[in-house]
Amino acid sequence: MHHTPIALLKQMYHAQTHHLPEVERAKLRVVNLLAVLGLVLSLVYTALYGLVFLSPVAAGLNAVFVLGYAAYFVVLRHRTGLASRLWLTGVYVVQIAMFGLWGFPRESGFHLFVIAGIPLAFLVFGHHERWWRGLTVVALLVVFYATEMLDTPKLFSHLPQAYIRISYLTVIPLITVLVAVVLQSFLNELHQRDDALRLLAVTDPLTGVANRRGLLERAEGMESQARRMGMPLCVVMVDIDHFKAVNDQHGHQVGDRLLAAVARALRDNIRKEDALGRMGGEEFAVVLFNATLAEGLNTAEHLRRQVGVVQVPDDKLRPMSCTVSLGVAAQATTDELLSRTLARADQALYRAKAQGRNRVCGAPPATASVVSGGSAA
């Protein structure tokens, strides 16, 4: 199979990210991008040393660093993430030191690549790896002051002043691009963390569905859209029957397992335009978009049946099932507040429990409907 250079670079960018959570995946992609940039820029400089500066020694030496950046992806594949990040920063620091001290004269500005290395260190190493971050910054500063203060022999000291000027004029834009990429990647990481925190704030960690806040926020948007379009909303309240007895007899771990299984059954049996959330304890709510009371009752009965076939292992690994009671209410008019519809659905839920549980009960102003093991009015 033939790969174009662009496809190969994309493959490097996504290397070893597919099995990671989204936030970790984004962070590794940033480090991969830095390795790709180092590899590409080193290739450009290798060509510059060989074809323009006519120095096969410098070109050959820089080709070693090209291989060093490529080897990052090998280390990433076979070793820990920290090992690959240490390899990447090590290659960068040694490259800047080598050509800053013994390659280019100070007037070329090559040693200013240290500037790009400092934000790179903050991006590559996380907060828990701050010692490695600090050591990298110290190493870069040592390289900078060494190139400023030591008068070492240079490979390119014989070059005409025009070439030195050209080198300086290319170094500054490259440093600007590298710093911009590093800072933009850092900002992207901050935004991704903010998004993850926002999602965490509206998600129930046990079941993975929306929590009360998340459901109400989404339901408010659904309510506004329904009013604009003149469509009805319907609310289904769901409560697991005798859930306290499950916790008391089998333990909270089994109860948590049952909550997660019920949430999955509810989520898998509603439409994508509907909203599901855990209101607290063993109670869930479903907001149905563009659904009448009759359609809500049908959906609730379907949910009741689907939850009834759910089984989870109890504390002795025996299969255990549960039943649910459901209350349904449709917005009487588009002017009725969603909070009022939720309250009426909750009242219908209490009636379903009072009438024997494991059933669906509809709320006024529609005719009360009770379904027990089937359909009934």
Side-chain angles (χ1 to χ4, degrees):
M1 182 178 180
H2 298 286
H3 294 285
T4 64
I6 297 298
L8 184 59
L9 291 177
K10 287 183 178 179
Q11 186 177 353
M12 290 179 175
Y13 174 68
H14 292 285
Q16 304 299 312
T17 62
H18 301 292
H19 65 288
L20 297 175
E22 182 56 38
V23 174
E24 296 300 319
R25 185 184 309 160
K27 290 169 63 176
L28 181 55
R29 282 174 179 165
V30 170
V31 181
N32 289 349
L33 175 62
L34 296 174
V36 169
L37 286 174
L39 190 151
V40 172
L41 290 177
S42 294
L43 279 172
V44 172
Y45 269 96
T46 299
L48 180 69
Y49 298 156
L51 301 177
V52 178
F53 296 165
L54 301 177
S55 175
V57 174
L61 184 60
N62 203 65
V64 173
F65 289 102
V66 174
L67 295 176
Y69 286 112
Y72 156 82
F73 296 98
V74 178
V75 178
L76 176 64
R77 182 175 181 180
H78 295 286
R79 300 295 296 242
T80 64
L82 177 60
S84 60
R85 292 193 295 275
L86 288 172
W87 179 275
L88 176 62
T89 52
V91 170
Y92 184 85
V93 171
V94 172
Q95 184 180 28
I96 302 305
M98 185 80 65
F99 284 94
L101 285 169
W102 296 287
F104 287 91
R106 192 176 302 113
E107 295 79 10
S108 70
F110 187 88
H111 63 299
L112 296 179
F113 272 113
V114 166
I115 297 172
I118 293 176
L120 180 146
F122 278 82
L123 193 61
V124 168
F125 296 111
H127 178 71
H128 61 288
E129 298 165 343
R130 54 188 178 275
W131 288 107
W132 290 113
R133 180 195 298 167
L135 287 173
T136 303
V137 171
V138 169
L140 288 166
L141 290 176
V142 169
V143 169
F144 176 79
Y145 284 108
T147 55
E148 284 286 338
M149 300 174 66
L150 298 179
D151 188 17
T152 53
K154 311 292 184 182
L155 277 173
F156 301 125
S157 58
H158 64 284
L159 292 177
Q161 191 62 33
Y163 279 17
I164 300 298
R165 182 65 177 170
I166 290 172
S167 175
Y168 179 81
L169 292 176
T170 58
V171 164
I172 297 303
L174 287 174
I175 292 175
T176 303
V177 170
L178 283 174
V179 172
V181 169
V182 168
L183 292 180
Q184 185 59 52
S185 300
F186 180 71
L187 290 175
N188 290 342
E189 182 180 346
L190 287 180
H191 288 310
Q192 288 160 357
R193 290 187 178 184
D194 287 343
D195 291 342
L197 287 174
R198 279 193 292 269
L199 181 60
L200 186 63
V202 296
T203 303
D204 176 54
L206 175 62
T207 62
V209 302
N211 58 19
R212 184 185 184 91
R213 174 184 172 184
L215 176 67
L216 293 180
E217 285 182 1
R218 185 178 174 193
E220 286 176 3
M222 295 170 66
E223 183 181 26
S224 299
Q225 184 181 2
R227 284 180 177 175
R228 289 195 308 269
M229 302 175 68
M231 294 180 173
L233 279 184
C234 194
V235 175
V236 180
M237 298 296 294
V238 185
D239 192 270
I240 302 176
D241 296 328
H242 305 294
F243 183 74
K244 184 178 183 301
V246 173
N247 280 334
D248 292 343
Q249 296 175 18
H250 303 284
H252 289 278
Q253 185 175 8
V254 174
D256 290 348
R257 198 181 300 151
L258 185 63
L259 281 170
V262 170
R264 284 194 299 271
L266 296 173
R267 183 186 58 207
D268 293 344
N269 286 280
I270 60 174
R271 304 167 300 177
K272 62 180 181 180
E273 60 265 32
D274 300 328
L276 166 66
R278 182 184 176 196
M279 302 300 283
E282 66 271 26
E283 190 173 65
F284 297 85
V286 181
V287 181
L288 304 174
F289 185 75
N290 191 24
T292 63
L293 179 61
E295 291 168 331
L297 290 168
N298 288 335
T299 298
E301 173 59 18
H302 176 68
L303 293 176
R304 187 189 70 81
R305 291 178 179 273
Q306 292 301 311
V307 171
V309 299
V310 168
Q311 290 188 334
V312 297
D314 66 9
D315 53 323
K316 296 180 180 178
L317 300 181
R318 297 171 302 189
M320 181 182 69
S321 60
C322 70
T323 62
V324 289
S325 300
L326 305 95
V328 184
Q331 281 190 319
T333 66
T334 55
D335 293 330
E336 182 184 40
L337 294 177
L338 182 63
S339 58
R340 177 57 186 159
T341 310
L342 282 165
R344 291 195 296 109
D346 207 36
Q347 292 169 3
L349 170 62
Y350 282 115
R351 288 205 309 276
K353 283 189 169 293
Q355 293 173 14
R357 295 184 170 85
N358 189 25
R359 63 189 63 221
V360 176
C361 201
T367 303
S369 301
V370 178
V371 182
S372 179
S375 298

